[in-house]
Amino acid sequence: MNRCYANGSEINIESYVQGSQYDYVQIYRADGDPSQGSTFVLLDQMLISTNYWYSDSYGGKYWYTSGDNDKITCFSHSCSVDEDVVSATVKLSAPVVTRCHSYNNKNVKLCWCCTPKAKGYQIYKYTGKKWKRIKTINKKSTLTYTDKKVKEGKTYKYKIRSYSVVSGKKIYSSFSSVRKVSLKRLTVRGDYKANSVYGSSLNSSQLMQVRRVVQSFKTNYIRKGMSEYDKALAVFLYLRSNCSYARHGLQYNNANNANNANNAWGALVYNEAQCSGFARAMKALCDGVGVKCKYVHANSKAVNPRHQWNEIRINGKWYIVDAQSGVFLAGSNTWKNMMGMRWNTKGLPKCSASDHKKFGFYGSIV
């Protein structure tokens, strides 16, 4: 056996196996130290099938699940044997907090990604004195929590860990990154008046919710000394991670406002939008963190005359960013010649003809 290591909540074993396709491979596991009396128990066994093990499918890289109990995942290439017994420790992955906002200064909503193998989650809050567990969620599929015990004018911090149960004992992951929410006066700048570029149909309450999300983003993702590039990348990745494409039409996410999929509220508060909503949200986030950003609409000569995106300035040069499509810092030549886009340039800064040298263009970082 070449090596054995933990990968999140799984154990990976690399080994080279020789024998006929009618021979068995058996895997034994001890849940404790064998030298202290822990017993090896048969976990699973499988036949060595040359039809699969040496398969040339997918360029010789073919994964398949085997074993009497379907607990063995095999790969067509592996490593040579030099040990009979190896050990590894399985650890739960820490949850990733995707959103932590207060939309109304009356409560704080947290959202996080599912942790494989978790049974549930524990939520902790820091109020300035100590960390305190405020909620235990005993359902793996529950990935949101609303804290209603907050007060305006206060700042709160949150962190989450996952747990599972092994042999009757709870095991815990490490904690997620700490997320902070301030219920004090908002300080981020932007266009939060009527007929805003963030959405001309948004009312004052919706604009305030957008501003609170922007404030929270700046608090948690922007650090002193970050370059314009780093800030733009943080905005881009945040939007790509927290907003999905609104495929059911423009109005379904709010029956009272038929355009929410095409404004920043849809992208940042409801977390679903179409191209205009992505572009307006990008503009709001960039305005909030001090990155120059323009909202751009295609013209009739474009392959898609209805499409919208942004121009962002990095170190004095302007580039194309389309968060909905996954385009980051593309040059105008790429945007025109490869993507077929056209737009009225009057009143807009001239874009760099070439892509940014670091991660510029379509799909390169997503």
Side-chain angles (χ1 to χ4, degrees):
M1 191 175 295
N2 182 259
R3 65 172 179 156
C4 179
Y5 57 93
N7 180 17
S9 56
E10 298 178 342
I11 293 290
N12 292 334
I13 299 171
E14 293 185 1
S15 180
Y16 178 75
V17 180
Q18 288 182 317
S20 76
Q21 61 180 319
Y22 302 109
D23 291 336
Y24 271 97
V25 171
Q26 294 182 326
I27 297 178
Y28 289 79
R29 185 182 74 190
D31 293 336
D33 188 346
S35 66
Q36 301 298 319
S38 184
T39 303
F40 279 102
V41 177
L42 179 64
L43 179 69
D44 207 347
Q45 64 179 10
M46 68 174 183
L47 279 169
I48 301 174
S49 175
T50 55
N51 291 332
Y52 286 109
W53 194 253
Y54 296 107
S55 169
D56 288 328
S57 301
Y58 303 101
K61 298 181 179 180
Y62 185 79
W63 294 90
Y64 67 99
T65 299
S66 185
D68 294 348
N69 300 317
D70 285 333
K71 291 185 177 180
I72 303 172
T73 301
C74 297
F75 187 45
S76 60
H77 289 192
S78 56
C79 307
S80 61
V81 177
D82 60 13
E83 288 186 74
D84 292 326
V85 180
V86 292
S87 62
T89 301
V90 176
K91 294 183 178 179
L92 283 174
S93 301
V96 176
V97 180
T98 55
R99 295 191 292 278
C100 184
H101 305 308
S102 175
Y103 297 118
N104 54 14
N105 265 17
K106 296 179 180 179
N107 54 55
V108 173
K109 184 174 182 180
L110 294 96
C111 303
W112 60 92
C113 294
C114 177
T115 299
K117 310 297 183 181
K119 294 293 184 182
Y121 307 92
Q122 292 182 337
I123 300 170
Y124 285 73
K125 180 168 73 172
Y126 186 78
T127 59
K129 295 182 180 180
K130 62 180 182 179
W131 285 101
K132 180 181 179 181
R133 190 175 72 203
I134 60 172
K135 182 68 175 180
T136 297
I137 295 175
N138 297 314
K139 193 174 182 180
K140 175 184 176 180
S141 59
T142 299
L143 302 174
T144 63
Y145 174 72
T146 300
D147 180 14
K148 298 180 180 180
K149 295 182 179 180
V150 297
K151 294 182 180 180
E152 189 172 353
K154 299 287 186 179
T155 297
Y156 301 93
K157 296 179 182 179
Y158 298 88
K159 62 183 180 179
I160 305 173
R161 67 178 180 178
S162 54
Y163 77 86
S164 189
V165 178
V166 178
S167 300
K169 292 180 60 178
K170 276 188 176 181
I171 61 171
Y172 300 93
S173 73
S174 57
F175 282 102
S176 67
S177 299
V178 174
R179 291 290 178 254
K180 181 165 56 174
V181 175
S182 174
L183 304 187
K184 300 178 181 180
R185 185 176 65 88
L186 300 175
T187 60
V188 288
R189 297 180 179 181
D191 183 11
Y192 293 102
K193 297 181 179 180
N195 297 313
S196 168
V197 66
Y198 309 150
S200 59
S201 62
L202 294 178
N203 58 40
S204 58
S205 176
Q206 290 171 315
L207 285 169
M208 180 59 73
Q209 290 179 344
V210 169
R211 193 177 186 186
R212 292 188 190 283
V213 174
V214 174
Q215 182 78 63
S216 179
F217 168 79
K218 182 178 181 180
T219 298
N220 288 292
Y221 292 92
I222 304 301
R223 298 290 179 264
K224 185 177 180 180
M226 288 179 70
S227 65
E228 287 180 333
Y229 175 88
D230 291 335
K231 291 178 181 179
L233 180 60
V235 169
F236 179 82
L237 294 177
Y238 176 84
L239 199 50
R240 291 283 295 172
S241 299
N242 286 281
C243 183
S244 57
Y245 189 76
R247 300 186 180 279
H248 299 285
L250 302 180
Q251 75 283 351
Y252 76 101
N253 63 14
N254 189 333
N256 296 321
N257 190 334
N259 297 311
N260 274 337
N262 273 344
N263 60 46
W265 186 95
L268 295 178
V269 179
Y270 193 81
N271 304 117
E272 288 187 3
Q274 295 187 344
C275 61
S276 182
F278 274 90
R280 295 178 190 276
M282 176 67 70
K283 169 68 172 165
L285 290 167
C286 284
D287 288 349
V289 301
V291 174
K292 296 293 184 181
C293 179
K294 301 291 185 180
Y295 172 76
V296 186
H297 198 299
N299 63 24
S300 60
K301 297 179 181 180
V303 65
N304 179 2
R306 300 177 62 184
H307 195 55
Q308 290 133 79
W309 61 89
N310 300 95
E311 289 184 15
I312 288 181
R313 190 183 73 179
I314 303 295
N315 297 329
K317 292 185 178 181
W318 291 82
Y319 298 90
I320 302 296
V321 172
D322 183 359
Q324 182 229 294
S325 301
V327 174
F328 184 67
L329 302 186
S332 58
N333 286 345
T334 295
W335 202 231
K336 292 176 182 177
N337 301 332
M338 297 186 66
M339 307 303 289
M341 289 298 169
R342 299 290 186 274
W343 63 101
N344 296 324
T345 58
K346 185 178 179 180
L348 292 173
K350 184 179 180 180
C351 275
S352 168
S354 58
D355 303 340
H356 192 278
K357 62 182 180 181
K358 185 179 181 181
F359 292 135
F361 187 45
Y362 182 79
S364 55
I365 60 173
V366 296

